[in-house]
Amino acid sequence: MKSALLMGFLGLLLMLSSGKLLADPAFSAVYKMPADIEWADSLCPWKSATETGYLRLVRTLDDDRHRLLVQWIRKSMNEQPDEAVSTRVIDELDQLYRVRLQPPQAQLHPDHCELNMVAEDVDSERRYQLQLRLKGPGEYRLMVIEKLPGDL
């Protein structure tokens, strides 16, 4: 049993050192997503004149706070795997707010997808209502509304 594990490990090392494993496109996509993913879901569909796809929202947990990434996934034809056209970190949450997020409520509009979430500040427990509007690949707008203590 140990020798089989050792042989498998040595084979992996040889593949890595030869560049074969790193050249595999399926393997190269693995490192692009953060390792601390807590939750992910496919939400609203999107459509352009030539392509169709869907949005994937990824929530990560880092240092007791959540971060959000949005991916615009293009549906592939001819039995090829779907492809991420664009991946964006929601910078405002990453730079300005240290919050924990509840899962979003998605609402599809003719020209955008709207995600509504409740967030709570990690340090002060202040609550926010977040509205994330997602348009074409890479386009988003985040609106943050601070809730008063009596608000639900």
Side-chain angles (χ1 to χ4, degrees), residues 27-121:
F27 184 75
S28 66
V30 171
Y31 73 91
K32 292 180 183 178
M33 294 299 287
D36 50 359
I37 293 174
E38 183 180 68
W39 174 88
D41 198 6
S42 299
L43 299 167
C44 299
W46 61 268
K47 186 176 188 178
S48 72
T50 59
E51 300 175 319
T52 61
Y54 56 92
L55 294 168
R56 178 186 297 145
L57 186 67
V58 178
R59 184 177 74 189
T60 64
L61 181 63
D62 180 29
D63 193 27
D64 201 31
R65 71 186 253 189
H66 288 134
R67 292 193 167 107
L68 286 179
L69 291 94
V70 180
Q71 288 189 309
W72 284 259
I73 309 293
R74 176 177 42 222
K75 285 191 172 192
S76 298
M77 304 293 181
N78 305 330
E79 298 185 26
Q80 296 293 321
D82 293 351
E83 177 184 5
V85 181
S86 179
T87 301
R88 292 286 309 264
V89 173
I90 305 302
D91 293 323
E92 296 86 347
L93 288 180
D94 201 39
Q95 298 166 4
L96 302 175
Y97 298 95
R98 291 179 35 87
V99 294
R100 287 185 214 94
L101 300 164
Q102 293 181 2
Q105 298 293 320
Q107 187 174 19
L108 187 59
H109 295 271
D111 65 338
H112 69 277
C113 176
E114 182 178 294
L115 304 179
N116 290 291
M117 295 165 271
V118 174
E120 184 177 288
D121 188 278

